[in-house]
Amino acid sequence: MKNYFLAPLVVLFYVAISCTTIIPKASNLPRSTPEAEGVSSEDILNFINAAENSRHELHSIMILRHGKVIAEGWWNPYEPELKHTMYSTSKSFTSTAVGFAVTEKRLSLNDKVISFFPKDLPETVSPNLAALTVKDLITMSAGQEPDPTMTIAANDSNWVKAFLATPIVHKPGTKFLYNTMATYMLSAIVQKVTGEKVIDYLKPRLFEPLKINGIDWEVDPRGINTGGWGLRLKTEDMAKFGQLLLQKGKWENQQILPAEWVEEATSFKIDQDPAAPPAKKDSDDWKQGYCYQLWRCRYNAFRADGAYGQYIVVFPEHDAVVVITGESPDMQDELNLVWEYLLPAFKKKEFPRNPEMEGKLADKLSSLALPLFSKTKESPLTGTFEGKTYAMQTNEKMTDSVKFSFKNNLLTLNLTSASKNYKLIFCSDTWKTGETNRPGPYLSLFDKAQARYAGLPPLKIAGNYQWSDSVTLKLKLRYIESPHSENITCKFRGDSLYMEFANSNDFGKRSDIIKGKAAK
């Protein structure tokens, strides 16, 4: 089990004992213990327990105080060296690329968007389109309604041209509307003025100074980073970025991003809902004001956040950063756990160590794991299914045929889809890790994007299976560099096979059932 956490030490885990710390590969953040940095181990433990007893599924957590990692953990099969899909947390990195470009005087926030793309303009440029600026894009006030992201990404190969052709119904800069394609336009602008994709432009300016490596970022059909989604990086990389913002752009005594830009980028710029009643604003972290592709929070914090609960929360008043990855059906409720348990944990000064509670927290963080199926005996009918190919009826999952093979607690499932064969391996008593090119569950907003997964390597997966009875086979397939998993239930009835596919990000609201017959 590959879980990393606090600072006592065992061979495959590191837990801390006083100053003895083992730091994960490629890490350069210093480690400490909670109480040494004025944080309550008990409160952190209570947060972990509350999260595990909630409807939220956490995949990792990292807490920094005074620039030091004081608690960290990964729920097996997630682990420190795995990247994680950021979804809209990507936007904050795109905004930072704009900040570097502004600093280098390659563009200004007042530049007109149409000035960058003269060949992609519609025949008639409306007054609102002519007035649209980079600042309107970065503050989510482009004036389009509704958000055109899904339509453009699914139907157009030239996203820039399609965006510019979309009517702007409100005066730019006057009305907030979350518009992921506006962030894509920022990425396209940065590439236009620098000649580099955002990921390449950021490499020497941000990623290399912070020792962030091994990341990737999806691209559109023309090779432009998607900007508003598609970035994948590690938990500690997220923490470094949050710490950089907390330190106002300074890293290891070097000012890599101007403090003025960070202050500007993290301060209130536009009200998401000016008409919201005070009670709503007092309880909703999406009503606190939007910055430059960052959100203001209650308690004078700010954050980057992505769908299903990918969080970088920065607490300037407490000199702290909290990073969370996972899959949540209610991001506000997940954030409320942070306010309830972690916010009070940050004390104003160091206080006496609590070895008993530190040990309990360390034990907890060393044993984090997502549930496996309970171990069951193989079906007495396993031999009946062994090596048999099932031809599937036409279905939404585009699965043409299925074949099962069992050996030594391992199940190999071969799926054929549109002449492509995907081999998926599951283990009966632990997670079996591997890779696949088979597309996994994805946020519906980007699920139909023409260039989905473009620019990414094969997807890492972990599989577990169980016979729930002699004719029912349950499979859990986790895409462990994303928040999501897939549940597959197979029922065998004579020569017939019924397969039910349910994606975790549908939270039990939807499934697809497909039918097949054993090939003669």
Side-chain angles (χ1 to χ4, degrees):
M1 187 180 301
K2 300 177 180 177
N3 291 312
Y4 295 75
F5 31 97
L6 271 188
L9 172 66
V10 235
V11 179
L12 291 180
F13 312 113
Y14 78 84
V15 185
I17 314 184
S18 62
C19 334
T20 305
T21 307
I22 293 180
I23 296 177
K25 182 180 177 183
S27 165
N28 70 327
L29 288 174
R31 265 60 181 176
S32 185
T33 57
E35 273 73 15
E37 306 305 324
V39 182
S40 165
S41 290
E42 183 174 8
D43 286 343
I44 297 174
L45 180 61
N46 289 339
F47 169 80
I48 299 292
N49 290 331
E52 290 192 326
N53 290 314
S54 72
R55 4 177 219 162
H56 315 294
E57 179 183 282
L58 300 195
H59 299 155
S60 72
I61 183 170
M62 185 172 284
I63 303 173
L64 281 67
R65 187 81 190 282
H66 306 323
K68 300 172 184 177
V69 179
I70 58 169
E72 57 191 308
W74 288 259
W75 278 257
N76 190 50
Y78 293 88
E79 56 184 73
E81 293 306 310
L82 289 174
K83 294 167 288 191
H84 205 81
T85 299
M86 291 292 97
Y87 283 128
S88 287
T89 298
S90 309
K91 292 178 170 67
S92 304
F93 288 82
T94 300
S95 170
T96 300
V98 172
F100 281 114
V102 168
T103 300
E104 295 168 4
K105 302 189 184 309
R106 297 173 185 246
L107 60 87
S108 82
L109 294 182
N110 294 320
D111 287 341
K112 299 295 192 289
V113 173
I114 62 172
S115 69
F116 299 103
F117 308 106
K119 296 181 180 179
D120 292 311
L121 299 177
E123 288 187 11
T124 301
V125 176
S126 70
N128 279 347
L129 177 59
L132 184 68
T133 66
V134 173
K135 187 173 183 179
D136 300 326
L137 298 178
I138 207 169
T139 57
M140 292 295 186
S141 57
Q144 296 171 332
E145 192 169 3
D147 172 16
T149 301
M150 183 181 294
T151 300
I152 291 174
N155 299 298
D156 297 280
S157 58
N158 185 335
W159 295 0
V160 168
K161 187 172 184 178
F163 179 90
L164 295 172
T166 301
I168 298 178
V169 298
H170 303 287
K171 181 181 177 181
T174 63
K175 183 178 174 62
F176 176 90
L177 179 72
Y178 201 69
N179 185 334
T180 295
M181 198 53 65
T183 314
Y184 162 79
M185 291 296 291
L186 295 173
S187 174
I189 289 169
V190 169
Q191 184 160 330
K192 186 79 171 181
V193 301
T194 67
E196 297 180 285
K197 295 196 297 288
V198 165
I199 191 172
D200 297 323
Y201 178 65
L202 285 177
K203 185 176 180 181
R205 295 164 176 82
L206 177 69
F207 298 136
E208 288 181 352
L210 270 59
K211 296 183 174 62
I212 294 175
N213 52 58
I215 62 174
D216 46 45
W217 203 326
E218 292 181 56
V219 294
D220 80 338
R222 299 193 301 156
I224 300 169
N225 284 135
T226 47
W229 76 95
L231 174 64
R232 303 193 308 168
L233 39 71
K234 304 177 187 73
T235 305
E236 185 155 351
D237 299 335
M238 298 168 70
K240 292 174 182 177
F241 182 66
Q243 188 65 31
L244 176 72
L245 296 179
L246 180 62
Q247 295 170 177
K248 298 189 182 300
K250 181 176 286 189
W251 194 259
E252 295 181 346
N253 298 318
Q254 180 183 357
Q255 195 72 43
I256 66 173
L257 187 63
E260 296 80 6
W261 171 265
V262 176
E263 290 172 358
E264 183 75 5
T266 59
S267 61
F268 180 102
K269 291 295 178 293
I270 189 168
D271 194 332
Q272 295 98 323
D273 187 2
K280 180 65 173 174
K281 289 196 173 187
D282 289 345
S283 61
D284 190 337
D285 283 286
W286 279 261
K287 306 290 186 189
Q288 306 306 308
Y290 197 70
C291 317
Y292 289 167
Q293 308 284 290
L294 289 155
W295 300 81
R296 293 298 304 177
C297 304
R298 291 175 290 167
Y299 310 107
N300 201 31
F302 63 86
R303 72 186 186 279
D305 76 35
Y308 303 101
Q310 321 318 311
Y311 281 124
I312 306 172
V313 186
V314 181
F315 301 80
E317 292 181 354
H318 300 281
D319 196 18
V321 176
V322 172
V323 171
I324 301 171
T325 64
E327 185 176 54
S328 169
D330 185 339
M331 290 176 64
Q332 180 64 72
D333 187 62
E334 181 183 5
L335 205 50
N336 287 343
L337 294 177
V338 174
W339 307 141
E340 181 178 356
Y341 293 99
L342 295 184
L343 185 62
F346 301 126
K347 312 300 181 183
K348 292 185 177 180
K349 60 183 180 180
E350 180 179 346
F351 55 95
R353 288 190 60 187
N354 185 340
E356 179 182 1
M357 196 54 63
E358 287 180 17
K360 288 182 178 180
L361 176 59
D363 289 344
K364 182 66 176 180
L365 290 171
S366 71
S367 60
L368 296 175
L370 296 175
L372 291 158
F373 290 127
S374 58
K375 177 71 172 176
T376 58
K377 293 182 179 180
E378 294 291 315
S379 167
L381 301 178
T382 298
T384 306
F385 318 125
E386 173 66 33
K388 187 175 289 186
T389 299
Y390 293 82
M392 310 306 291
Q393 296 176 3
T394 302
N395 58 83
E396 290 187 11
K397 302 299 290 186
M398 298 182 65
T399 301
D400 302 320
S401 67
V402 180
K403 183 178 179 180
F404 301 86
S405 298
F406 298 88
K407 185 177 181 180
N408 298 331
N409 290 332
L410 294 179
L411 159 63
T412 300
L413 177 65
N414 285 281
L415 298 177
T416 301
S417 176
S419 300
K420 295 181 180 179
N421 181 260
Y422 303 107
K423 184 169 78 170
L424 308 172
I425 303 178
F426 303 78
C427 187
S428 64
D429 53 8
T430 188
W431 295 107
K432 175 63 177 176
T433 57
E435 293 183 345
T436 185
N437 287 311
R438 179 174 176 267
Y442 213 71
L443 179 64
S444 59
L445 182 64
F446 313 125
D447 190 44
K448 304 299 181 184
Q450 287 192 18
R452 179 182 169 194
Y453 294 128
L456 304 187
L459 307 176
K460 295 187 184 299
I461 54 174
N464 176 225
Y465 81 89
Q466 175 200 60
W467 285 101
S468 59
D469 58 47
S470 63
V471 295
T472 306
L473 178 64
K474 291 186 175 181
L475 312 175
K476 184 79 168 185
L477 183 65
R478 291 192 172 277
Y479 287 79
I480 52 177
E481 288 184 319
S482 94
H484 310 308
S485 58
E486 192 172 17
N487 294 297
I488 306 171
T489 302
C490 306
K491 288 188 176 291
F492 300 88
R493 295 174 182 169
D495 286 337
S496 297
L497 169 65
Y498 298 81
M499 298 184 74
E500 180 178 13
F501 292 82
N503 293 341
S504 62
N505 57 328
D506 290 324
F507 301 105
K509 296 178 181 177
R510 180 180 183 274
S511 64
D512 296 300
I513 299 177
I514 63 176
K515 303 175 183 179
K517 277 278 189 183
K520 299 293 186 181

